[in-house]
Amino acid sequence: MEKKETMRKGFVFRKFEEEEKSPFDKLFEIFKELITHTSGDFDEAIDWLRQLDKEYKLTDENYSIDDFIEDLKRKGYIREEFDPDGKGGMAITEKTERAIRQQALNQIFGKLRKSRSGNHSTKHQGLGDEHTGEFRNYNYGDSLDKISMTESLRNAQIHHGADDFRMTEDDLVVEETHHKSQMSTVLMIDISHSMILYGEDRITPAKKVAMALAELITTRYPKDTLDILVFGNDAWAISIGDLPYLRVGPYHTNTVAGLQLAMDLLRRKRNTNKQIFMITDGKPSCIRQRDGTYYKNSVGLDPFIVEQCYNAARQARKLHIPITTFMIAKDPYLERFVREFTQANQGKAFFTGLKGLGEMIFEDYETNRKKRIKG
């Protein structure tokens, strides 16, 4: 008798082998990181890259940094620009800006699985467009396109048999779906001088978070909106394309100006669901008065400035706009201020260092599946 071969099933483990990258791709990964740290300054980024090459032997006789620069030009990642004085220099292009945003998304949020265009699911089932995998009997008035033909045909065969096949209303089932809500978000970034004080670069992680969030929304939630603003002595909106070039200024922290601008931006949105994310490391220390002058006080927490912050938080609450504060500093008196600010708005606060900042914002954004607010 011949012996029958038995098929064995199981897992096969192999040694991990890193994906082979070209010399250009290896250098480009480093270059994108450097161009973010240098706020888009190409010459400075290349100087850093040459120093790293000397120390870690990133190139060889077959491919040099100059070859890399030529490839950047050829692939459309950099272009030559001239200032009013006629002096030329290299600058990054929109293609590089997109690549930086994608790298930030991968670094902070991981490689997200592709999904269909959609928005944030609510907890309520009914007429929607996100399938749940759950079924119920058809009710008069249900949309015909929600009927599950596979399950309905199965019911008809079970109820009536194959010889007398027919389908009645009692055989029909529909698949439950989730309502979807669209979200309008404003991300506020503190660019006061303290964001680079004490030997710690806090602005670069904030930029990365903003770029990653922008890439997430435009690719995964295209119906959502994201506005980005920065605040120092004043507040102003910036475009996604401005993010790589963002720098800290010699500013105080006018939190109220940022909140007022954020609320103005959100008032123009038609979406019911609105929210503000605020990344800051310092206390409010500046406010603009009615006559246009600035009142500044960096010593402790000024009661006048703090009360204006609380008023802005209450105003946002009346507009049904929750504020989530990501507080980088961990001074006890600043934590108390943020807790009281959060209570005035009925929002949320995260007290964190730079590590994990992006993951927290991502998680909060992804899980913020709110019931629609009637207003």
Side-chain angles (χ1 to χ4, degrees):
M1 292 179 63
E2 291 185 2
K3 225 178 186 179
K4 291 185 179 179
E5 289 188 8
T6 57
M7 298 292 292
R8 294 185 177 182
K9 295 182 178 180
F11 296 98
V12 178
F13 295 92
R14 295 186 178 90
K15 185 179 179 181
F16 172 75
E17 294 181 3
E18 187 178 1
E19 183 182 351
E20 187 66 28
K21 290 183 179 179
S22 67
F24 173 83
D25 289 334
K26 290 179 181 178
L27 290 176
F28 192 50
E29 290 296 308
I30 302 171
F31 172 76
K32 286 184 288 186
E33 191 72 27
L34 295 176
I35 204 73
T36 302
H37 281 273
T38 62
S39 298
D41 190 320
F42 174 80
D43 292 333
E44 186 180 358
I46 289 297
D47 285 342
W48 284 13
L49 188 60
R50 291 187 190 279
Q51 291 177 31
L52 290 172
D53 183 30
K54 287 180 181 178
E55 187 171 353
Y56 297 104
K57 308 298 181 186
L58 302 177
T59 64
D60 55 30
E61 65 277 1
N62 298 317
Y63 195 84
S64 66
I65 298 297
D66 291 331
D67 293 327
F68 173 67
I69 295 173
E70 288 302 314
D71 278 345
L72 287 174
K73 292 179 187 176
R74 183 174 55 83
K75 294 175 183 287
Y77 287 110
I78 58 174
R79 65 175 183 272
E80 194 166 5
E81 287 188 345
F82 294 91
D83 58 26
D85 297 331
K87 295 180 180 179
M90 303 307 299
I92 63 174
T93 63
E94 290 183 8
K95 185 177 181 181
T96 307
E97 293 168 3
R98 288 194 301 271
I100 294 170
R101 292 198 298 270
Q102 185 61 54
Q103 176 168 281
L105 179 67
N106 292 339
Q107 285 179 344
I108 294 174
F109 299 154
K111 304 217 174 190
L112 300 176
R113 290 176 297 175
K114 291 183 180 178
S115 63
R116 292 168 295 175
S117 297
N119 303 292
H120 306 277
S121 304
T122 66
K123 297 177 182 177
H124 305 279
Q125 294 181 345
L127 298 177
D129 56 353
E130 182 179 354
H131 298 283
T132 67
E134 299 176 0
F135 300 93
R136 61 171 173 79
N137 293 332
Y138 172 83
N139 294 320
Y140 178 76
D142 284 333
S143 178
L144 295 179
D145 63 348
K146 300 301 179 187
I147 294 175
S148 172
M149 291 307 299
T150 303
E151 292 296 318
S152 298
L153 288 169
R154 178 174 172 273
N155 283 347
Q157 187 174 4
I158 293 172
H159 294 161
H160 311 295
D163 296 333
D164 183 27
F165 182 79
R166 54 195 170 90
M167 183 178 289
T168 68
E169 184 177 331
D170 292 335
D171 300 320
L172 300 177
V173 295
V174 297
E175 185 176 1
E176 293 279 24
T177 55
H178 282 313
H179 283 292
K180 287 190 173 182
S181 58
Q182 297 176 9
M183 181 68 72
S184 288
T185 302
V186 172
L187 177 62
M188 297 173 49
I189 303 175
D190 185 349
I191 59 167
S192 62
H193 186 58
S194 59
M195 290 289 277
I196 55 170
L197 282 181
Y198 315 116
E200 187 173 44
D201 176 12
R202 296 167 175 174
I203 190 62
T204 299
K207 284 194 295 186
K208 284 188 176 182
V209 167
M211 288 190 289
L213 191 59
E215 190 69 11
L216 172 76
I217 290 175
T218 54
T219 56
R220 185 163 176 171
Y221 299 111
K223 295 179 184 177
D224 284 9
T225 67
L226 173 67
D227 289 279
I228 303 170
L229 66 87
V230 294
F231 62 104
N233 291 346
D234 292 293
W236 60 94
I238 63 172
S239 69
I240 293 173
D242 294 330
L243 283 169
Y245 313 99
L246 192 60
R247 294 178 181 270
V248 167
Y251 307 125
H252 285 69
T253 308
N254 191 342
T255 306
V256 171
L259 293 171
Q260 293 292 352
L261 178 55
M263 285 185 278
D264 288 343
L265 292 169
L266 290 173
R267 282 191 188 98
R268 305 170 195 169
K269 307 298 181 184
R270 294 182 179 179
N271 295 342
T272 304
N273 297 285
K274 303 173 182 180
Q275 63 183 352
I276 296 172
F277 286 169
M278 178 168 64
I279 303 174
T280 182
D281 76 319
K283 58 183 177 292
S285 59
C286 173
I287 196 164
R288 190 172 185 177
Q289 303 183 100
R290 290 184 179 180
D291 60 2
T293 60
Y294 294 92
Y295 174 71
K296 302 174 184 177
N297 185 0
S298 299
V299 181
L301 282 171
D302 187 287
F304 174 69
I305 296 175
V306 166
E307 189 57 36
Q308 295 299 315
C309 290
Y310 294 157
N311 288 340
R314 296 184 192 105
Q315 184 183 359
R317 181 184 176 185
K318 289 180 181 178
L319 295 172
H320 305 294
I321 301 174
I323 303 169
T324 302
T325 304
F326 297 88
M327 191 69 175
I328 298 172
K330 291 187 176 182
D331 303 83
Y333 78 103
L334 291 179
E335 290 187 357
R336 284 195 299 271
F337 158 70
V338 172
R339 288 193 180 94
E340 292 176 11
F341 173 87
T342 302
Q343 185 177 7
N345 175 256
Q346 293 297 293
K348 287 182 284 186
F350 294 89
F351 301 92
T352 175
L354 297 175
K355 188 177 181 181
L357 174 64
E359 288 85 348
M360 287 185 182
I361 291 181
F362 166 67
E363 183 179 352
D364 198 55
Y365 186 86
E366 285 274 278
T367 58
N368 195 9
R369 304 166 190 267
K370 299 182 180 180
K371 180 179 179 181
R372 284 186 176 273
I373 303 169
K374 294 180 181 178

